[in-house]
Amino acid sequence: MSRIPEKIHELTVGQLSARSGAAVSALHFYEAKGLIHSRRTPGNQRRYCRDTLRRVAFIRAAQRVGIPLATIREALAELPEERTPTREDWARLSEAWRTELDDRIAQLNRLRDHLTDCIGCGCLSLKSCVLSNPDDARGEQQVGSRLMRERR
């Protein structure tokens, strides 16, 4: 992959894709969702500031750890427009996401630990099934597999 000369301050969508590893369609999607921004040339072609490379890296790293795009957009909105996210930005924002990730990990661990309990029975009983009725929250209301609405 070739380096972008320092004198080039804007990237085409193809250059941004090649440098970031994100598909062109992903970059268009990120832009549609307000995660990155471009300007349009007189010929209606997108041009991205070089700082967008760091923003795309930030977005992709956050996605890899399971952060929803809406949360990523909120985080990027806290940064001044066209400013490259720094290591300090990532540390501050990722710390805020730690609790959410810890909760998800705990939930997945519970699911993994209880998965074998459910495979053998197949009943999905609301009274005892740990997958469809965690902590027996619905056990007092009814028994049996009644998560779906009754057809009329």
Side-chain angles (χ1 to χ4, degrees), residues 23-129:
V24 169
S25 59
L27 296 173
H28 290 171
F29 180 77
Y30 294 160
E31 188 170 355
K33 295 296 181 185
L35 298 164
I36 61 175
H37 306 288
S38 68
R39 74 167 186 88
R40 297 294 183 132
T41 67
N44 203 30
Q45 296 174 329
R46 289 178 169 91
R47 293 293 184 264
Y48 297 92
C49 292
R50 289 176 63 96
D51 292 347
T52 307
L53 275 170
R54 177 78 53 94
R55 283 185 175 262
V56 171
F58 183 95
I59 293 163
R60 292 179 55 133
Q63 281 185 297
R64 274 193 294 276
V65 297
I67 304 301
L69 284 178
T71 304
I72 297 168
R73 182 178 47 248
E74 290 169 8
L76 287 172
E78 293 179 17
L79 303 177
E81 187 68 25
E82 302 302 325
R83 194 190 100 201
T84 302
T86 64
R87 181 181 300 265
E88 292 78 23
D89 292 328
W90 176 257
R92 180 177 47 81
L93 294 168
S94 63
E95 183 62 33
W97 298 331
R98 181 176 289 281
T99 302
E100 181 183 337
L101 291 174
D102 287 342
D103 291 345
R104 277 202 227 145
I105 290 167
Q107 181 182 19
L108 287 170
N109 282 332
R110 280 193 307 274
L111 176 62
R112 181 202 57 215
D113 294 345
H114 294 297
L115 188 59
T116 53
D117 296 341
C118 191
I119 296 295
C121 85
C123 76
L124 295 178
S125 168
L126 286 179
K127 191 165 192 167
S128 61
C129 184

